Amino acid sequence: MIPAVDGWQLTADLHGCSGAAVRSNAATLRTLALAAVRAAGLTPVGELFHAFGPDAGVTGVVLLAESHLALHTWPELGAATLDVYVCNLSADNGPRAEALLAALEAAFAPARSEHQRLRRGALAHAPGVAPGIAPA
C-alpha cells in the first residue's frame, strides 16, 4: 500500500502591510524567506526571486525538501500573499508550516490578514480523521 501524502497548504493574504518586507528588493526578501524557512525547521533545496522593478513587487519561491514556499509582494498596494505547502510523508510538518507562515506574516506587519488551510493528499485517511494541523 502506498502511503498518503498527507500535507497542508496554508495561505495568507496580507493587507495594509507596514513592515519593511513588503518594500524589500528581491535579495532582501530572499534573505528573510530563507532565514524563516530554516528557523521553522524546514529544509530549503532551491530558490528563485524576481523583482519587477525598483519600486515594484517581488515574486519568490523557495523549494523545500518538504514542498514549497511562494510569496508575492505589491508595495504600491501595501499587500503580499504567502503560500506554504508541506507534505507529511515521514513526519508531521504542520507545526513547521504554521511557524513559517507566522514568522513571515510578522515581518510584513499587516493591518489585516486572511488565512486559508487546505488539507491535501489525505486519500488514505478515513473521513473526519485529520492527523497534523487542526483545521482553522
Side-chain angles (χ1 to χ4, degrees), residues 59-126:
T59 288
V61 172
V62 179
L63 299 177
L64 305 173
E66 301 83 6
S67 219
H68 73 259
L69 160 68
L71 29 68
H72 312 277
T73 69
W74 292 267
E76 68 276 18
L77 302 175
T81 61
L82 309 174
D83 177 356
V84 178
Y85 175 48
V86 294
C87 300
N88 294 329
L89 188 58
S90 61
D92 180 3
N93 290 306
R96 292 178 185 100
E98 290 283 1
L100 174 56
L101 192 70
L104 291 172
E105 185 171 347
F108 284 96
R112 180 172 60 86
S113 60
E114 299 165 12
H115 296 96
Q116 294 187 17
R117 284 156 176 73
L118 175 66
R119 182 148 182 231
R120 303 202 45 205
L123 302 176
H125 295 289

Side-chain angles (χ1 to χ4, degrees), residues 21-29 48-61 70-76 79-81:
V22 76
R23 296 180 295 279
S24 293
N25 64 28
T28 303
L29 197 55
L48 178 63
F49 286 78
H50 174 76
F52 291 95
D55 295 317
V58 174
T59 288
V61 172
L71 29 68
H72 312 277
T73 69
W74 292 267
E76 68 276 18
T81 61

Side-chain angles (χ1 to χ4, degrees), residues 24-37:
S24 293
N25 64 28
T28 303
L29 197 55
R30 175 186 175 273
T31 299
L32 169 70
L34 290 173
V37 162

